[in-house]
Every structure is written in C-alpha cells, then in structure tokens.
Amino acid sequence: MVSACKLALTAAASLLTLTAAQTFQRLGGCPTLGCVLPPDQTDFLAGQYFDIRLEVHAPVNGSEANGGIPDPNFTFTIEKVGGAAQPAASYFKIAEPALERWNFTWYEDLFAQDKKTPSVVRVTSKAYRRVALYEPGEYVATLNYYNGTKTVANWVVRALHQQKKAKNVILFIGDGMTTNMITAARLIAHKSINGKYQSTMQLDKFPVLGHQMTHSLDSYITDSANSASALYSGHKSTVNAMGVYVDSSPDAFDDPKVETIVEILTRIWGSAIGVVSTAFIADATPIALTGHTRQRAHYGPLIDQALHGITNYTWTKFSGPDVFFGAGAEQFIPGSGSYQNKNYYTEFANAGYSVSLNKTSLLKASNTTKALGIFCTSNLPVWLDRNVYTGYLNTTTNDPSGNKKPALDLPGLKEMTLKAIDILHARGGDKGFFMMSEAASIDKQMHSLDYDRALGDLLELDDTVNATIEKLKALGELNNTLIIVTADHGHGFDVFGSADTTYLSSQSDDRSKRNAIGVYQSAGLSQYTVTNASISYNTGVNFPVNWDPRYTLAQGVGAMPDHRENYKVHKSGPRLPATNVTGFPSDDYFVNPKDNTDGFIVNGTLPTYEAQGVHSLTDVPVFAMGPCQELFGGVYGNIDIFFNIANCLGLAQPTNATGTANSTSTAPASQFTGAASGISVERKLWVGLVVLQMAIGWVAVNM
Amino acid sequence: MVSACKLALTAAASLLTLTAAQTFQRLGGCPTLGCVLPPDQTDFLAGQYFDIRLEVHAPVNGSEANGGIPDPNFTFTIEKVGGAAQPAASYFKIAEPALERWNFTWYEDLFAQDKKTPSVVRVTSKAYRRVALYEPGEYVATLNYYNGTKTVANWVVRALHQQKKAKNVILFIGDGMTTNMITAARLIAHKSINGKYQSTMQLDKFPVLGHQMTHSLDSYITDSANSASALYSGHKSTVNAMGVYVDSSPDAFDDPKVETIVEILTRIWGSAIGVVSTAFIADATPIALTGHTRQRAHYGPLIDQALHGITNYTWTKFSGPDVFFGAGAEQFIPGSGSYQNKNYYTEFANAGYSVSLNKTSLLKASNTTKALGIFCTSNLPVWLDRNVYTGYLNTTTNDPSGNKKPALDLPGLKEMTLKAIDILHARGGDKGFFMMSEAASIDKQMHSLDYDRALGDLLELDDTVNATIEKLKALGELNNTLIIVTADHGHGFDVFGSADTTYLSSQSDDRSKRNAIGVYQSAGLSQYTVTNASISYNTGVNFPVNWDPRYTLAQGVGAMPDHRENYKVHKSGPRLPATNVTGFPSDDYFVNPKDNTDGFIVNGTLPTYEAQGVHSLTDVPVFAMGPCQELFGGVYGNIDIFFNIANCLGLAQPTNATGTANSTSTAPASQFTGAASGISVERKLWVGLVVLQMAIGWVAVNM
C-alpha cells in the first residue's frame, strides 16, 4: 500500500481505497496496476543472478475495474543513476522476451469472500531471465504502461567486499525461536541459586548479539519459506514463496528467481555445502537453500531442484549439496510424494551419494563422499520423545523405507550436525564450507502449543551449538568459522508464572483451576532443575533433570485455537490442542476432547479454521561468533544476514568478468510446470495433501 | 530450593519436600532454617555499604516443625578465601548486635491457604548494620546454628576499575518493554515499502545490543521494585522489595539494606542526580534509586527517603536528587498519602528546590537550582491521551494541587527529560551527572491490555532518546555520556496478524468475529503509516499517522483476565478490561461489560482475582552507546548493568581509605517503623489503598 503513493502519482483515488484492503491483496509487491519484480527498494549483491517479471493488470470488475484490457505495449527501462535509461533487453544484452497473457481472480475483502464475488484481472506480462547487476550503486527500473503511467523501482547494488574472510560459515536456525523461548529454556535446564545461574546456555556465551526484523515483502507476518529465502538470498518475498518474487501467473515454477547463497557460493568459490534439519528435508527452511517456487508445498519438485538445480530455465549449475540430512522419506520413496514417482534414494545414490537411513549407518558413512541421510517419514520425532518419553516412538509408522514400522535408530540434531561437519571439512578442504543446520520443531511444537517439546528442541539446538564449537576446536577450524545462530520468525510465547499442577487437577471448575497459577512472588523457582532421586534421564548437563515437577511453568501464547491447558508435560507423544469438529472443507477447530482433560478451557483468538497457533511479528535474536562477528550487532533486517555473510565470504562480483550472466536466457521448459499443474495451488487442498502425506505429527500450512 | 542441596548438607530429607512448595515460600533467599542475608552467590561492588541479617527459624507446625524453639546461640563468621574465618563483629570491627525475636506465619501451599491452616515460625535474629567489603575476591560467610548445622553464603567482591570513564550516565527504562513491543511500535510508526523501512526507531540505531535476565532472587518472575533495585544496586531481591534483602520481621523498614548507585555516586564523586518518570514518582522504578524497604506501597515514607535519605539508621548521607520530575501529587499534598501528613511541596521547597506543578513552570525553572516537578495526581496521562485523544484529559480530576480539576498543562517524557538535562548539566559541572528517565506506562498500559497506549508511550520513549542525543550533541556532552536504554521486565505481548475491524464489528457471534483476524499473508501491511487526508495529529515523524485504521494490529498477551477484544483503539481514555463482579475482599474479575462491546470474549489464563495482565519471564533488550558501550553486548543478568555502570564511573573502592564504613552501626530508630505500622502490609489491603488513592487510571499491585 505505502508504495502506491510514491510510485503511482497518476493513479486514481479509487486505487488507494482498493490497495488499503490489506488482508487480501491483488498481488503482493504490486500495489498499482503495473508490476515490476523485483520491486521498488530491492537490494542486490553485485553479480547475483535474478529474473525480472513485468505485469500489467486490467481488472474486469471490482473497485479497480478499468475496462479489463491489459496494455500489451508496455515498455521497461533500466538506468544506473547518473547514466541514461536504456531498454532492459538492450541494457542486459538479451533478446526481448515474448509477451505472455493470463487471467487471475482474487477477493477484495472478507465481505467479498463471504459473498463469493471474486474480482477478475487480465494480465499482460514479460520476463527477463537470469540477468545481473554488477556495479555497486543505485539503479532506476521504470515500467511505462497505459500510455503514460509509470511504476518506478529503485534498486541498490550494495558495495561489498570480494575478499573471503571466513573459510567456513555455519548458520544455525532455530525455527520460530524467540528471546522469550531462550529465556524459558534456560530456566528449565540451568540451575540458579539465589538468582545467579550456575551454568548458562551456549547462546548466552556468544560475544555478539543482534536482532533481525522478519517481516515479509507484502505482509508483516512471515512464514518460514520467505523468511528463509530472505536469509539465504537477501530478498524478502511473500508467504509460501522461496527463491522467487511472486507473480500472478498460473505456473508456480515460472516466478522471477533470485540466486541463493548456496548457488552463489558454489559458483564463485566451489565450497562444500551442507543442509541439516530435524524437519522433513523438503520443508521450507532446508529446501529454500536451493528451491525456487512460490508454493512451498511442491515438495517432490523441490527435492529434484536440490539434487539437480533449476532445469526448466538456464540458471546457476548445481548438482546437490555435499550433505543432505533430515527426514521426510515421502519425497524419496517412489510414489505420490516423490517427483514424477521416482525413487530419490536411487537418484541420489546414482549421483554419487552415500545413503543413510538410520543413525548407525550415518555414523559409518564415508567422510569423503557426498551424503544423503533420511531417517524417517514426516519430521524427526522431537528430542523429548527420543530421549525422555520414548514410549511414543514405538507407536510411530515412520520408517524411512516406507514399511510402516517405527524408525527407532534415529540421530538427533547433534549427531547429524557433527557428522555433517566431518564430511564438509573433508570435502570442502581449502575451499571451506557453508552449512545450515535447523532445529525445526521449536516452531512445529510451538504451533501445537506443546511448550515442553518446543523447549526441548531449543535445548537440543543449544547443546548442538556447544558440541559444534568443541568439534571445530578439535579440527582446528574454530577461528576460521563464522557461526551464526538465529531464527526465521517468532511465536508470541512467554512464561508468566508457575502452575501448581496438583492443585489445578484437584479443582472441579475452570475458574477455580486458574487459581493454581502463581504469578510474581508466587511463581517461585524452577523445579525442572531440582534433582528427584526417582528420576534420571541421562540427558546431560544442558537439559532439565525433571520434566514433570508438581510446579510447572505457566506459559502460553497470545494467538491460539480453542484449547485446554493444564500446564503438564505430554508424555504419550506430541500435543494436538484442537480438532476439527466439522471436517474439510469447512474447517472449524475446537478443543481436542482428549487433550488435558483435567485442564481449563481457553477459547481462541484466531479464526476458527486455524488448527494451531501462528507466527508473530517480533524481531528475533542473532548470535554471532568468529570472523566478521562484528557485522551482526544491533538491529537490522533479515536480508542483512545474507549480505553480511556474502560480505564475509567475498561473494560480490562487481564486474562481469566471465560474461556468463549476459548470455541470452532460455525459454521456459515444461518440467516443473507439469509438476505444478499436478498439485493444486489452492490453499485448502494442499493443506489436505500435506496432512495426508505426513502421517505423524502436525504439519501446519505456514511453518 | 536449589541452594538447599548445596548449603545444608545436614538438613533432613523432609526439608527438601517443604522447600519444593514453591508458590509459597517461608522466606525467599532462605531455603533452609538458617538464613544469611545477603545470601549465597551475592556479588558486591568494592566498598558498597550493606547490612547483614541472620535469622534462625523454628517452625511450630507444618512439614518443617522442629519443636518451635529457635536457636538463640547461633554464631556467624566471615572468611576471605585464603584467610581465617573471623566472628563478623570482629571482622567488621563493630559491636556484636543484640538478639532479636519475632514470629511469623505462612502457607505451605494453596491447599493450606484454602483450609486456612498457616504454619507458624518462631525466629531468632541479629543484624549487622552498614558494613562493606573492600578487597576484591571471594568470601565465605557462615552461620552456625542448631548445634552443628551450617548455612554457607559464598560472596564475591568484583574487581572493577576506579577510573571514571564516563562523565555522565543516562539510564532510560522502558518499564515492561520487550523486543516484541519495540517491533510492534516500529511497525505502526515507521513506513516501509516492499519490506524496507524508510525510517527506523532511534533504538534501532544503537551500536550495541544486549539482553538482560530479569528474574528475582526467589522467583523467576519479577516486579518493578526488585528489578529496579537489581539495576541500581547490583543486588537482586524479592517482589515488592527495593534496596533491601527481605527479612521476616514485622517492620518493613528494618530489612538489610544495600547501597544504590545514587548513594554511591553521591558519596564517591558528588555528581548531580536526576530522577524522571511518567509514573507517580513514589512508584517502584523511580523511587528504588533512593528507597530501602521491602514494601513498595509505603509511598509516603519513600518520598521522605528520597529527600532526606535513610534516617532510621546511620547510612549514606543523601539530601535529595537534583531533579525529581514525575507525577503522584498524593504524596506531596498534605494528607493521608503523604508521610506524617506533611506538605512535601513545602518540604522540598524548604530544602532549596524549585517546585513546578505544570509544564509552563517546568520550562521556566532555574537550571542552577534543585528542581521538583509534580504535574498531576496518579500517573501522568499517557502520550496518546495527551496528543491524540485529548478529550479524556478534561474528564480527569488530577490537578497536582489537589483541587480535583483536570491537569491540562502537562509535560511529556521528552519535555521532562530535556529540562532535566539542562539542570543536571548546570549543576553537575565537571562532576557530571546520573539520570534515570522512565517511560512507566508502557508497563501500566500493557497491564490493562491497552496496546495502543502502551506502544504510544514506547514511541514517546524512543522520541525522547532521539531528542536526548540531539540535546547532548548541542551541549557538547554526547561523547562524555553513556546512554543505556533498557527495561526492567517484560509482558508476554506479541502481534500475530491484522484485524479487519469493520468485518469483526459486523459479525454477530464470537466465533465469526474471530474470522476477521488475518494471519500470515492475510496480515498485510501496516495501515498506521498510511496517510488519511481527514486525519492529522501533528505528532511528528516518529509516530503513527493514523491510530484508527480499518485494519488494525491483532495482538495480545498469553496471560490475561477475562476480557473482550475488538482490536480497536480506545478513544475515550485508558482501557479497563475486567471488572470485579463480587467486590473486595473476595475479588473475582470478569469481562468489563462496557469494554469493546462489539468484540469477542477471551477467557483468562490468570487467577480470577487478577484484574490485569501480569509480567513475564523474557529477557529484555539493552541498547547502549557512549563510553563503555562495549560492556553491554551479549547476554547477562540485570545486576551486571549496575556493575558495568559502576565500572564505567569508577565507583569501586577497594580500600577503606576513609574508614567510615567500619564505624559502629547505629540502633534502629522508630521513624519508618512507625510509618510502616500505619500501612498494612497485607497484600489485599494495600491494593485497596492504592486503588483508592489513585483516582485515575489503573495501578496494579506489581508494576
């Protein structure tokens, strides 16, 4: 909305009214009828490949209706500030792309949706593929359409270093991890005496702390796809998108791409690449390192992109990461979950990968061979289930072979990460490595209000960071390695007191049960750190010694479905706070009648079609140590993490030395277009698919 | 609890059971039957004055019952590690204090409270007054009681600098301000285009960022009294206490004291002292700079302490701050709210202060005279009421004269702070100054779930910090001044989407109304920064241009009373979310029937006797710039802020050059004991007193 005033001075007043209807948007990043993607205010790394998409919209009906005939004669120029504006094809020395046309519909607001009165928009479009800007400075990209209307995009190519200051970069992402959660995790795992902690978290010991803003391009709340993309490419995008700006075309694989850190680093320095996650590996945070689509739910094609790179357009060559460890066997077992029904275990093996399907095999895998490790279907069972309440594991059917037996020989984040370092160190050699290691279920368990499981996985992350530092010391690589620990977004979680679970359970009505909550002085001290002689988990010094004390944390979120709270740990497996009382497609979630039966009901603050909690706005912490650590203090945007890493790795290419970027772009091939058409992009439907596909645990739409 | 295992190896197993009953505590900081205050794990500034309180407890009944005869023959020794243990009186070269005796009662848990079966404890005690440890290093203080039982307190005197590196220190406290709130405030006040902010907050520009842990000594949730005390003295304490460790004696003014930054700085360097707050000036955050009591609600006596220092014991001489600006005329107008019914306007005037009761007078006040400014009763009306929805001001009866007319000539935090700097700069001269400036109503308005008013006051703080930097530049003092902006604790607040207020209001049932909430991509962009031609507040570039858009922030907390949400700004004055449906003394709060009548009900997560939201656990941010800024990066405890400031100001006195600390301590006088006995320390009653006293706005018990 805000850019409307600046960009489209000629726009009619009615436009401003329309674009103010924010909860629905005609096209994010395009508040006027002429769209330039990348949009106004975009920053680039010098030499970073990207596509340009232009669209001219002609609304047929609705508040913007202009006759419904989109301009086929629009023009587009690029000007480096101080130089002359040139037609883009000429500027980039590529052929003028062909004109494309399509239609799409959208709702202007909730009233229109209730009345089922969509607005129809006709579109003319062009796409300039795989271009780059090399010289640092300011650029002006101008779309001229409708005989005199302009959309102006001001772009900046940042002036960064070409010198490589860090040999290795390890980026830990605690998905959904906020400062509030770190504080709670510290409280349950580390003993304090009279207010002084006797030990602290590894994160607490980092020398540099920053905050990053996580908002999306076109919404102030993000999901893990587009926030990961911002961290990996320096470009914010739209919810559910990764490695692309979102266009309005039917194909989810033709949206304008931006090159990621993995692609650039492979191209410039040839470093080893590692991807580790406790999620299914096609999930947004791991797969956005290599993925380019506006629909994160296209899991099968995204796994193919991870192995083969982009194949429907000429793009940076990529032939798979050196390490690819996680879960989500559904995309590897041949069948409906895998791309073109192929066996991706075989595809990876054929590409030279060792393939590990359990922890024993993982630990024995060669350190000099590329390595695939897929340890179960869906997400990896969480730390609490793998280490404390292990009975749940036997109830699962998540063997990565697809034989519907439980996967019991499971690594955790620490085992995967340490093995990954061995391989990356061996394979990267003097060229170093880049690894992203994700603690995914902090977010996933916060979504389902399972605070214990979320905090357990946060502590597993901290323990992993601790072990990583020790490992790097042993390898003599600590001083060569930039370590960053951050999140991609938050949840509005906090601890507000203690709950006397015995008293709560003994009371007969909801209001009396609430009196079991102790606040301020009655919160008392953490009992999770008080040894109980009858309990021993052998989980080490960085974890609670009692997960089930009488006095637990009273905690929660501000955004939730209807649910019931008793503040006790869930011992028989992950929590399901709300269930669908009407069923697909008219979702209506209410308290799960089997959850916390002795608790009190808290009615929700979210739309009743939401099964879970949702992401929040808050800035998230960034912990940094190693070369370039000083770049990560203070407050900045998530894209600055990409630029800081790129700066530290010397990835800027301020001249077009190779000339490859200016070669003629290729025409779209059908590979992913075909794949995409096989999966509906309609939201409700792919939620259904995801839920069907992931037999175990909860998979939210936006995680 | 946790210290029980370490300290009292001889304690019986039954003790562990008792002390595990955390929501009630026999005495915080004393998990065993022998109490040493300051307790185990205490850190000291070299030369900082403090009192020692020893107690031996003899429970008459309850799970700890030991016959009910407290040991009158306990002994106490001090040992510098490496030296010999000496009797404390001999170590400090003071007379052995007299034995004291009293009884107290407490409840072991909620069941005991419901059954009204208190446990009775008999006590023997001694207090060593105004002692100090000078030599940096480790000390062991040992209480021997019950013929062989020991309580050991390990103390550390930190090795710090004596050199003064900063001439001035300004400590801004955003009461209750979290990172989540800063993110929300940025979103409503600063325009962004395609995800790039076109301007940011002053806090975002600080070079150094840290996190401080805010937990109490004996509870993981703090209030503003004991967290302020930790920031000002380096000693954590108990909820409702400031400048003391909490003992179990009846007198709220005989608890063992610790010297504050204001007292130490006055004693060592004679710098000018400024206290500025938007709260009533006897409120915890401002008054803890000079106050020593375990009961923050003793407002009248605390104002007397601010002016005259401690008068019931020999203590650091203090004759009032140079600047004392805020609200809370109740303690100045002669009557039930003032100490000994005296006129404290007159008391301050007689002590040489200029007295300003409105903004006009404030701005004209002499810069070379000590200055008192009290601008209304209760708290200062918030920024939103003073600048946007000003109609509310006319409904108030808060004139500081007590004439029950509205106070309309009001300064804000910025005017008070800038005037304070003028005075402190003039009066401090070469000796420099220390100022604490508090944005109090971030917390107060979060308590009442009035998010707009809370964020408005957060933006006022940011605007004030910005203006302060400009002011210091103009005075040539910026490079001499350490500026810290932090909070004392948090609230579990976050933004999770947007609300279409038009749609919400149009729906007829609570569940349909919730569908007005847009999450993820449907959150959209901030409309608070979109100019509406019909609205102009003239509030400047650091504030929203529209506080009442159709699409507002969907936001909230995890801990709340029953209330109703419509996510609209409250235009007719501060929000009252819940009202007492049974009335004192059996409080039972339910949805205020007059609040947000078109909204949906959210039932609470707090005890039903809580009228408001409560504080939360989260670490809070610390922003630092100026001399010693490098000390404030990373993660640390709130007490480290005191030690870092002391280090930067060279306040450590590692030798007893003056010898004053070792003089014989004086006997307790009756001054504050008498005052205290006039105000019940029973919680419910003083809540009632506070509510009666503060006619306007909401005053929570713990704020």
Side-chain angles (χ1 to χ4, degrees), chain B residues 132-155:
Chain B
L133 298 167
Y134 292 89
E135 203 181 332
E138 296 176 28
Y139 294 77
V140 178
T142 307
L143 174 67
N144 300 277
Y145 61 108
Y146 288 152
N147 197 24
T149 306
K150 290 180 192 297
T151 294
V152 176
N154 296 286
W155 293 342

Side-chain angles (χ1 to χ4, degrees), chain A residues 633-645:
Chain A
V635 181
Y636 40 83
N638 51 5
I639 68 169
D640 295 303
I641 292 179
F642 165 83
F643 286 106
N644 289 341
I645 294 174

Side-chain angles (χ1 to χ4, degrees), chain B residues 341-626:
Chain B
N341 298 314
K342 289 192 280 193
N343 183 329
Y344 270 80
Y345 294 132
T346 307
E347 293 288 313
F348 275 76
N350 289 347
Y353 281 76
S354 71
V355 178
S356 296
L357 301 185
N358 54 51
K359 177 169 135 186
T360 305
S361 168
L362 170 73
L363 297 179
K364 287 182 189 163
S366 161
N367 288 341
T368 55
T369 305
K370 281 186 166 189
L372 173 73
I374 300 296
F375 304 105
C376 58
T377 60
S378 183
N379 302 304
L380 205 67
V382 302
W383 182 92
L384 195 69
D385 290 316
R386 284 185 287 106
N387 292 280
V388 176
Y389 299 116
T390 54
Y392 166 70
L393 297 183
N394 292 314
T395 71
T396 59
T397 55
N398 60 344
D399 190 275
S401 70
N403 68 5
K404 304 292 182 189
K405 292 185 177 167
L408 298 175
D409 184 11
L410 293 165
L413 185 66
K414 184 159 77 173
E415 292 80 16
M416 291 193 292
T417 300
L418 296 182
K419 180 66 181 182
I421 292 172
D422 278 332
I423 296 170
L424 295 167
H425 180 58
R427 289 186 57 83
D430 293 343
K431 295 176 177 174
F433 64 82
F434 172 91
M435 173 174 67
M436 191 291 297
S437 173
E438 184 205 18
S441 289
I442 300 170
D443 179 66
K444 293 176 193 300
Q445 296 298 319
M446 274 291 160
H447 272 293
S448 53
L449 315 183
D450 199 329
Y451 317 119
D452 296 295
R453 279 177 176 72
L455 298 180
D457 272 38
L458 196 162
L459 290 168
E460 183 186 32
L461 171 62
D462 192 66
D463 192 49
T464 301
V465 175
N466 179 297
T468 294
I469 291 170
E470 294 308 311
K471 177 88 181 177
L472 292 171
K473 269 187 205 161
L475 292 173
E477 292 286 347
L478 185 60
N479 293 337
N480 301 328
T481 307
L482 169 63
I483 304 176
I484 302 162
V485 189
T486 188
D488 49 354
H489 61 77
H491 288 252
F493 166 87
D494 214 338
V495 175
F496 52 88
S498 67
D500 180 344
T501 57
T502 303
Y503 187 85
L504 194 157
S505 186
S506 76
Q507 301 300 300
S508 55
D509 71 275
D510 276 19
R511 288 178 73 79
S512 298
K513 285 176 186 293
R514 283 161 55 184
N515 292 334
I517 310 301
V519 296
Y520 301 114
Q521 63 271 47
S522 300
L525 300 170
S526 171
Q527 285 202 6
Y528 296 79
T529 60
V530 179
T531 305
N532 181 326
S534 66
I535 295 175
S536 176
Y537 312 120
N538 292 316
T539 48
V541 296
N542 294 324
F543 296 92
V545 295
N546 185 1
W547 283 91
D548 187 28
R550 171 175 167 186
Y551 293 87
T552 60
L553 300 189
Q555 53 198 331
V557 291
M560 63 257 177
D562 298 321
H563 64 289
R564 197 154 43 196
E565 285 291 1
N566 69 357
Y567 300 115
K568 285 181 189 165
V569 66
H570 296 73
K571 296 183 183 178
S572 58
R575 182 178 182 187
L576 181 66
T579 48
N580 200 338
V581 293
T582 56
F584 180 82
S586 60
D587 297 332
D588 189 14
Y589 284 88
F590 191 63
V591 180
N592 174 4
K594 295 179 185 167
D595 185 47
N596 297 346
T597 51
D598 67 341
F600 61 89
I601 288 176
V602 183
N603 64 310
T605 51
L606 290 174
T608 52
Y609 54 76
E610 290 285 349
Q612 308 195 321
V614 295
H615 297 175
S616 72
L617 179 71
T618 185
D619 294 349
V620 293
V622 184
F623 302 89
M625 67 181 287

Side-chain angles (χ1 to χ4, degrees), chain A residues 53-71:
Chain A
R53 168 69 80 182
L54 309 175
E55 295 188 17
V56 177
H57 289 190
V60 175
N61 58 339
S63 61
E64 291 177 302
N66 73 349
I69 303 182
D71 186 352

